[in-house]
Amino acid sequence: MSKNFTGTMESITRLLKTNDFFIKKKFGQNFITDQNVLKGIVDAADIEDCDVIEIGPGLGSLTVHILEKAHSLVSYEIDNDLIPILTDLFKDYDNFTLVNQDILSVNIDEEIKSHFDGKHKICLVANLPYYITTPIILKLLSETDKIRSYTMMMQEEVADRICSKPSVKDYNSLSVCIQYRAHASKVLRISRNIFIPRPNVDSAVIRLDLYDESPYKTKYEEYFFKLIRDAFCQRRKTLVNNLKQTGYDKERVLAFLHENNFNDAVRSEQLSVQDFVKLTEFLQEA
Ligand code: SAM
């Protein structure tokens, strides 16, 4: 197969048949078959001459497009049954490494050190398994700053949450945690009809670019991330009530709101990332 493999609907269907492969729902397996979408993802990732990490190569339809552009690619696949198929498909590519491991269990900085030479920008490109989208992103963002950009397909609802701005319906703790570290933008909307099997929801591709010079900085990061979780713990409650309930000093929170011209009944979704950084500093330096 090797370099003749293109990832089209026909080649994916042929692969499924010839390998007796059964699609596993438990691993979030929905394979993309549309060539324009695959090229669109790789174009959005802008990976010319980059070292790339892919999560979940599946049957290799995105992998083949990444390999054509990247300097090198390391793909992490949890499903043992896919390993012989992928190994055979990409045996002619000497810039490809396949790792049969759960991405959530790897030490990402160790992996980066062992696979890449440190001379190329490191990017992540993936059609993520939807059942663990958020844990994957939060793990990687909190454990390494070596991956400078992330281009990822996910359920559209999650993409909207990640990219949302304050006072918009989707804005929540995930938006704040991720935008603290990276600039987030939605780059493509993808119909559910281009997957085998067809999922119940539409998808979107987002891009995260780590800040070179972060506009947000606090030395109390652990406290900041806990504060975000607590501030958004009950959506219908005010910021003050959420924080009071989770053990913060109500009078100090009110003092911060007054000093920064917020109403006592302000909701967490009305505060920007910068406001949460300021609140962190205010409460920690009381
Ligand atoms: N990249 C392929 C595509 O676009 O057609 C497949 C994408 S499919 C949505 C998700 C892939 O992630 C599957 O191949 C699945 O087996 C793999 N996967 C699921 N959980 C994983 C994990 N924890 N670590 C690594 N790979 C995982």
Side-chain angles (χ1 to χ4, degrees):
M1 195 88 54
S2 61
K3 288 199 171 178
N4 297 323
F5 175 71
T6 53
T8 57
M9 173 79 95
E10 296 70 44
S11 53
I12 294 279
T13 314
R14 196 167 353 105
L15 264 186
L16 288 171
K17 275 196 190 137
T18 49
N19 290 283
D20 278 337
F21 177 79
F22 293 101
I23 291 171
K24 298 181 190 70
K25 229 177 166 180
K26 68 169 180 180
F27 288 146
Q29 291 177 348
N30 298 97
F31 302 116
I32 313 177
T33 58
D34 184 301
Q35 294 305 297
N36 290 328
V37 168
L38 292 162
K39 283 185 193 138
I41 297 171
V42 174
D43 284 348
D46 196 14
I47 52 169
E48 205 77 55
D49 207 34
C50 292
D51 286 333
V52 177
I53 294 171
E54 184 192 22
I55 298 164
L59 288 165
S61 52
L62 181 60
T63 317
V64 71
H65 291 275
I66 300 172
L67 279 169
E68 294 300 338
K69 294 230 161 141
H71 170 257
S72 76
L73 170 65
V74 180
S75 299
Y76 293 85
E77 176 54 64
I78 196 171
D79 186 351
N80 302 337
D81 294 344
L82 289 168
I83 302 306
I85 303 175
L86 290 162
T87 305
D88 181 50
L89 277 180
F90 300 118
K91 60 175 183 279
D92 292 342
Y93 288 84
D94 53 15
N95 58 344
F96 179 60
T97 307
L98 181 61
V99 182
N100 185 196
Q101 233 177 309
D102 175 351
I103 189 67
L104 292 177
S105 71
V106 306
N107 177 329
I108 194 66
D109 268 336
E110 287 297 318
E111 291 289 310
I112 287 172
K113 223 187 281 167
S114 74
H115 291 294
F116 299 136
D117 63 10
K119 295 185 183 144
H120 302 261
K121 179 181 171 185
I122 300 174
C123 305
L124 181 137
V125 184
N127 171 16
L128 290 175
Y130 293 177
Y131 72 109
I132 44 167
T133 299
T134 306
I136 290 175
I137 300 173
L138 293 180
K139 172 192 163 72
L140 297 181
L141 280 178
S142 65
E143 291 182 7
T144 186
D145 59 3
K146 303 270 183 324
I147 304 173
R148 301 308 297 172
S149 85
Y150 295 68
T151 306
M152 303 169 289
M153 180 180 300
M154 62 192 68
Q155 195 177 326
E156 185 167 35
E157 201 185 310
V158 182
D160 286 339
R161 263 187 248 139
I162 291 175
C163 300
S164 190
K165 295 292 171 212
S167 300
V168 174
K169 164 174 90 44
D170 300 304
Y171 186 73
N172 71 358
S173 56
L174 191 61
S175 333
V176 182
C177 289
I178 290 180
Q179 291 175 37
Y180 174 76
R181 297 212 187 276
H183 176 264
S185 55
K186 187 170 166 183
V187 289
L188 289 171
R189 289 196 67 219
I190 314 283
S191 154
R192 66 191 77 182
N193 296 323
I194 61 141
F195 297 90
I196 302 179
R198 181 178 179 274
N200 295 326
V201 289
D202 289 320
S203 297
V205 178
I206 69 160
R207 188 172 155 137
L208 304 180
D209 286 282
L210 248 63
Y211 300 118
D212 288 328
E213 204 39 61
S214 175
Y216 315 116
K217 269 197 191 112
T218 172
K219 55 180 183 283
Y220 310 110
E221 278 194 353
E222 203 176 315
Y223 183 91
F224 170 82
F225 287 114
K226 180 176 178 327
L227 177 73
I228 304 305
R229 277 196 307 278
D230 294 338
F232 284 92
C233 70
Q234 289 198 42
R235 198 154 179 99
R236 278 177 305 152
K237 287 195 171 176
T238 64
L239 170 74
V240 174
N241 284 342
N242 270 330
L243 291 183
K244 185 177 147 214
Q245 185 190 306
T246 43
Y248 296 76
D249 180 343
K250 178 179 173 185
E251 294 312 315
R252 289 295 299 156
V253 178
L254 283 169
F256 170 84
L257 295 183
H258 299 161
E259 207 171 276
N260 290 278
N261 299 321
F262 284 112
N263 189 301
D264 289 4
V266 71
R267 290 179 186 277
S268 302
E269 56 266 31
Q270 291 170 265
L271 270 68
S272 66
V273 180
Q274 186 61 52
D275 294 328
F276 279 110
V277 169
K278 275 164 77 177
L279 176 58
T280 298
E281 308 270 315
F282 186 89
L283 295 175
Q284 281 290 282
E285 286 169 6

